[in-house]
Amino acid sequence: MKIYNGKPIIIGLIIFVGVALFPVFYNGGKASPPPEIKLDTPVIQQMTEKQCVLPKGEMRTGHMQVLNEWRTEVVRNGHRVYVAADGKQYNMSLQNECMKCHSNKSQFCDACHVYAGLQLGAVPYCWTCHIEPKEPKETK
Amino acid sequence: MGIQFSLMAVVALVLVAFLGVQVAGLNYVFGVIVPYIAIFTFIAGFIYRVIGWARSPVPFRIPTTAGQQHSLPWIKPNKFDNPSTKWGVFVRMALEILVFRSLFRNTKMELHEGPKITYHWEKWLWLAALVFHWSFLVILVRHLRFFTEPVPGLVHTTERVDAFLQLGLPGLYLTDLLFLAAVTYLFIRRVIIPQLRYISLPADYFPLFLFLAIGITGVLMRYFTKVDLLKIKELAIGLVTFHPTAPDGIGVLFYLHLFLVSTLLFYFPFSKLMHLGGVFLSPTRNLPNDSRMVRHVNPWNYPVKTHTYEEYEDHFREKMIEAGLPVEKE
């Protein structure tokens, strides 16, 4: 088989394969299972009924939209009270309500966000305005 | 005809994935086996096509000459539109691949009463093509966050720049909008310009519908019907680290997206999309115009027997002198 201009074409093909399979070379076959999300904060452990404002599945996929709606309700419409499906009332506040239970930001928020490829400290931009909860050093 | 056929093909693909995952529960087939087949076909087919082109000889220089050729020292040559050196070719190729310079020259010809010919300034195709290709690249780079652990800084930077408006949560990516807008424009252009519609085939419409379907399923997943990202990353990184898993409860929309992307990869080597490799191998662009400086020998020439005048004279010198014919060497 005769190939014309073989050298640049083969080099080009090697670059193509390298780029196309970049994630394979980059990870080197190392398995990366998803992180375990820790729900064992003191406040959650004291709860009799361990239930967030929405069912777990909806919170997992839609918490950012809930937070965005809460922001609009509080900042633009001045409503502070959220009534959950079970009639329970919550104060719509990231710092005072969400983080009261989920006080372990680095093992709760960050664990997932980092795995999902969000840039820690930049995306999502919650903590450019809100104050992060203080965590004891050893849990980090 | 082509439009209906292509549209039905994409709808059928969506249905196949929907029924396969939602009804038959073939998560592993659509999440692991199909993507592996697709990526293997993509790479092997791509190499096969490029090697096929490399086996065709290009005996002579056939660059399109879009400027003054290199000639006398006092005539200014156009170094990049009619390159005579490798450096000139490199710049020409870079301009072609990165900013689509040939497309930028696009004009629209019209025949009026008279008869009178006019050429219009026509940059919309160039603009839409540029937006489409660069958005696609940014979207591909962004998707690396599902395929790498830890995620490289370049991916973070791309994401931050793309979502710099910080609109909504999850943040709106500009390239999502630009991609859908550009594909829509490229489709509408094909439909409403009569000459273009006349020459358009299913092979032209199908990729457009496929891109549109991929874009729409992606946008739906990110902004509207949410899916479980952690499980998606588990699946994606499982594929590239050869620990394949198809976790339950991802959401059927993700499988539609994945199946459409797999179809795209599978279809790629057999389609016009191979211009990804072909643009590098275009002889009308990647050859220097040096026909008058370098001798190019046709590779399939057979060795021609020659008998030059010098050899002829050596042969017959004595007889020529006897006959009184003039000779060059005594």
Side-chain angles (χ1 to χ4, degrees):
Chain A
M1 191 172 77
K2 170 94 177 119
I3 288 184
Y4 300 90
N5 300 311
K7 205 170 136 196
I9 291 177
I10 299 294
I11 291 172
L13 281 177
I14 290 170
I15 292 171
F16 163 73
V17 173
V19 171
L21 296 179
F22 166 74
V24 174
F25 302 124
Y26 182 83
N27 293 307
K30 195 162 64 54
S32 304
E36 292 282 322
I37 304 158
K38 293 245 164 66
L39 293 169
D40 56 353
T41 60
V43 180
I44 294 179
Q45 275 171 346
Q46 282 167 17
M47 290 168 86
T48 47
E49 194 197 351
K50 294 185 173 57
Q51 176 60 50
C52 197
V53 296
L54 284 171
K56 191 176 161 192
E58 284 177 48
M59 282 314 283
R60 243 176 198 246
T61 56
H63 61 275
M64 67 298 272
Q65 288 173 331
V66 170
L67 286 170
N68 209 28
E69 282 161 24
W70 282 21
R71 193 275 320 264
T72 309
E73 281 299 306
V74 171
V75 177
R76 299 195 184 146
N77 303 340
H79 301 147
R80 272 245 168 235
V81 181
Y82 175 84
V83 184
D86 58 358
K88 236 176 151 186
Q89 294 198 339
Y90 294 92
N91 178 18
M92 286 198 261
S93 165
L94 175 66
Q95 260 168 253
N96 299 331
E97 196 75 20
C98 303
M99 305 313 282
K100 192 175 72 193
C101 292
H102 303 292
S103 52
N104 51 345
K105 173 176 172 286
S106 62
Q107 288 167 326
F108 186 73
C109 306
D110 295 349
C112 271
H113 285 170
V114 168
Y115 186 71
L118 303 182
Q119 192 175 10
L120 196 60
V123 183
Y125 45 94
C126 308
W127 311 106
T128 46
C129 299
H130 291 281
I131 298 164
E132 294 181 30
K134 284 203 182 79
E135 291 179 63
K137 274 266 163 72
E138 62 270 13
T139 58
K140 278 205 172 174
Chain B
M1 250 315 285
I3 302 180
Q4 279 102 316
F5 178 78
S6 309
L7 187 61
M8 290 321 289
V10 173
V11 170
L13 288 171
V14 171
L15 274 179
V16 165
F18 183 79
L19 293 176
V21 173
Q22 194 80 339
V23 179
L26 300 169
N27 288 17
Y28 197 79
V29 173
F30 284 93
V32 175
I33 297 173
V34 169
Y36 270 138
I37 294 173
I39 193 76
F40 176 79
T41 314
F42 172 65
I43 290 174
F46 195 100
I47 292 172
Y48 177 79
R49 289 295 301 270
V50 170
I51 296 292
W53 290 328
R55 291 177 62 193
S56 316
V58 183
F60 305 117
R61 309 280 101 163
I62 53 167
T64 45
T65 55
Q68 172 62 49
Q69 185 183 358
H70 176 82
S71 60
L72 297 166
W74 44 271
I75 298 176
K76 194 182 166 205
N78 193 330
K79 278 184 207 158
F80 305 133
D81 287 331
N82 193 343
S84 58
T85 57
K86 278 191 174 169
W87 165 245
V89 167
F90 179 81
V91 173
R92 181 185 211 187
M93 290 296 287
L95 287 171
E96 186 68 43
I97 290 161
L98 300 176
V99 293
F100 311 160
R101 191 171 167 79
S102 305
L103 217 49
F104 190 70
R105 278 203 199 89
N106 186 33
T107 51
K108 190 170 116 198
M109 192 200 76
E110 267 177 4
L111 211 53
H112 293 278
E113 297 276 322
K116 209 175 183 180
I117 236 175
T118 57
Y119 294 94
H120 288 263
W121 183 91
E122 221 291 80
K123 300 281 181 261
W124 297 112
L125 173 63
W126 169 79
L127 188 67
L130 208 60
V131 168
F132 169 76
H133 283 86
W134 281 100
S135 298
F136 209 146
L137 179 66
V138 169
I139 291 171
L140 274 180
V141 170
R142 272 190 358 228
H143 274 75
L144 283 178
R145 76 181 167 114
F146 297 116
F147 293 97
T148 51
E149 183 64 38
V151 179
L154 179 71
V155 178
H156 284 320
T157 311
T158 312
E159 260 181 352
R160 277 248 306 282
V161 172
D162 200 358
F164 86 104
L165 286 183
Q166 301 199 331
L167 270 178
L169 265 181
L172 175 75
Y173 287 134
L174 286 181
T175 48
D176 283 353
L177 286 184
L178 292 173
F179 178 84
L180 288 180
V183 177
T184 309
Y185 171 79
L186 293 172
F187 171 68
I188 290 174
R189 173 182 159 273
R190 240 174 223 295
V191 176
I192 61 169
I193 300 176
Q195 292 94 327
L196 203 61
R197 187 170 178 163
Y198 183 72
I199 59 164
S200 293
L201 299 168
D204 298 311
Y205 292 116
F206 178 69
L208 286 175
F209 283 128
L210 200 57
F211 289 137
L212 209 53
I214 289 171
I216 289 170
T217 47
V219 163
L220 281 179
M221 263 192 292
R222 180 172 170 84
Y223 305 103
F224 301 102
T225 313
K226 313 290 292 182
V227 287
D228 193 332
L229 273 191
L230 286 200
K231 286 176 181 163
I232 289 176
K233 175 142 188 184
E234 193 184 354
L235 187 150
I237 209 154
L239 286 176
V240 296
T241 54
F242 305 107
H243 296 94
T245 56
D248 285 327
I250 291 185
V252 70
L253 199 55
F254 167 75
Y255 284 102
L256 301 189
H257 188 70
L258 185 63
F259 188 61
L260 290 168
V261 173
S262 300
T263 309
L264 176 65
L265 288 175
F266 188 89
Y267 172 70
F268 200 98
F270 313 105
S271 69
K272 66 188 262 192
L273 304 174
M274 268 308 289
H275 68 264
L276 169 60
V279 69
F280 291 93
L281 295 182
S282 323
T284 56
R285 295 289 182 281
N286 68 11
L287 293 171
N289 182 15
D290 57 2
S291 302
R292 294 166 189 221
M293 305 169 205
V294 185
R295 183 166 182 230
H296 301 286
V297 180
N298 188 348
W300 65 76
N301 279 352
Y302 68 98
V304 181
K305 272 189 198 156
T306 55
H307 196 228
T308 60
Y309 180 73
E310 283 78 17
E311 289 163 352
Y312 172 87
E313 204 182 274
D314 289 344
H315 219 132
F316 296 109
R317 184 167 294 110
E318 282 151 30
K319 285 179 180 138
M320 286 168 79
I321 293 169
E322 262 177 45
L325 290 172
V327 289
E328 287 188 351
K329 272 197 280 183
E330 289 294 332

